[in-house]
Amino acid sequence: MKRLKDLIESTFEINENRRVRLMCHSMGCNIALSLLELYVDETFKEKYIRGLIALGPAWAGSAKTPESWISGPIYQFVPIQLSNMLLPSSSTWPSMLGLFPFEFEFDDDGKKTSIWRNETIVETKRRKYTATELYDLIQDTSELAPLGPSLLNGVLKWRAKGKHPGVHLSSIYITDVKTPLSVKFPGDEIIGFGTPTVTKYSEGDGTVNRDAMEVPLVRWQKSQQQKYTVAMYPLQLGGHVNHVGMVSDLTVVRHVLNILTG
């Protein structure tokens, strides 16, 4: 966070003290939100930051991540056996745990809003895990991924709680790609999980579920931080542009340029 804060300050200085516009994609938006909520104060934001542009933000995580935590990084058209080979490495990545589905506290006005609605995210022969029970899954898979419990402690320290970012925010995100919401493993935490099957999909960009991107934006729009705008740009691009592809899609690029030029 210190290096990101220093970069903002140095960029401000070399550009004749003009405020910086931050832009992020995917988990980068979670990092930006944590910076704005936990690491810098209102004085810093008013002096240095003009606004934030968020592309496909994984504000509240992704339902695909627990599957990847168990099986290794999941990619379309890649055999599960290759994903399993990467598991010894990917199970040491704190970013995996940082993208587990979770509920924001939304403590700006004391009201609670469910993002995941007690959906079953992972199901095995032994039990079902909802978004609020996924930390049990981390414990239950400690033989498979032994660093999970200790990595989780560090992740929870930097993860934002869901307050309004305190800057002007524009968010562009895809909503018309089938996105996994629930997955079922034929095995269990003792005998082995096996090859998973997606049992339920939601709207989204193929990686991040729509509610995880949109519900926080709606809440921030209605919050008490009225002096900061929250602009939402949900896009339907024929189902051909996904979470990764959006950063180079011309329609998305045009939206970004329109925001930058006012």
Side-chain angles (χ1 to χ4, degrees), residues 23-253:
M23 186 162 70
C24 58
H25 174 248
S26 191
M27 185 181 177
C29 300
N30 298 41
I31 301 297
L33 186 62
S34 294
L35 172 83
L36 297 171
E37 179 184 316
L38 304 174
Y39 201 79
V40 299
D41 58 21
E42 294 300 319
T43 301
F44 180 91
K45 287 183 275 190
E46 289 182 4
K47 178 177 180 180
Y48 290 104
I49 300 177
R50 183 178 179 186
L52 172 66
I53 301 174
L55 308 180
W59 303 124
S62 165
K64 286 186 66 173
T65 310
E67 178 188 356
S68 297
W69 180 255
I70 294 168
S71 299
I74 304 296
Y75 299 103
Q76 194 174 16
F77 308 121
V78 174
I80 191 67
Q81 291 83 355
L82 293 180
S83 295
N84 292 161
M85 290 173 62
L86 291 172
L87 182 59
S89 175
S90 63
S91 64
T92 69
W93 301 346
S95 57
M96 279 280 196
L97 299 182
L99 288 174
F100 263 53
F102 66 98
E103 297 286 2
F104 272 148
E105 294 179 7
F106 289 126
D107 57 358
D108 56 317
D109 57 9
K111 296 180 181 178
K112 303 293 183 182
T113 301
S114 174
I115 295 173
W116 299 101
R117 300 181 182 84
N118 292 318
E119 292 278 3
T120 295
I121 305 298
V122 172
E123 181 179 355
T124 71
K125 282 186 175 181
R126 294 180 64 225
R127 66 174 290 184
K128 297 179 179 180
Y129 298 88
T130 65
T132 57
E133 298 169 325
L134 289 175
Y135 301 119
D136 294 341
L137 179 65
I138 296 170
Q139 297 290 338
D140 292 344
T141 56
S142 58
E143 290 190 14
L144 188 69
L147 292 182
S150 59
L151 290 175
L152 179 62
N153 293 329
V155 168
L156 293 177
K157 289 180 181 178
W158 65 258
R159 198 173 67 186
K161 302 298 187 294
K163 292 182 179 180
H164 191 292
V167 298
H168 294 295
L169 170 61
S170 300
S171 187
I172 305 168
Y173 51 99
I174 309 295
T175 65
D176 63 346
V177 180
K178 286 176 60 177
T179 306
L181 178 61
S182 301
V183 65
K184 184 175 183 178
F185 287 88
D188 59 36
E189 298 84 344
I190 296 176
I191 67 171
F193 287 89
T195 302
T197 301
V198 178
T199 58
K200 188 174 182 179
Y201 290 90
S202 73
E203 294 181 337
D205 61 14
T207 298
V208 185
N209 311 84
R210 181 172 185 168
D211 281 354
M213 298 185 281
E214 193 169 76
V215 170
L217 295 168
V218 172
R219 278 300 302 269
W220 293 332
Q221 274 190 335
K222 296 178 179 178
S223 76
Q224 298 174 356
Q225 300 279 351
Q226 294 297 326
K227 69 176 181 177
Y228 299 112
T229 58
V230 177
M232 300 160 55
Y233 302 93
L235 301 180
Q236 295 188 358
L237 302 177
H240 304 301
V241 181
N242 62 16
H243 183 72
V244 176
M246 71 175 302
V247 295
S248 58
D249 179 77
L250 290 180
T251 300
V252 175
V253 172

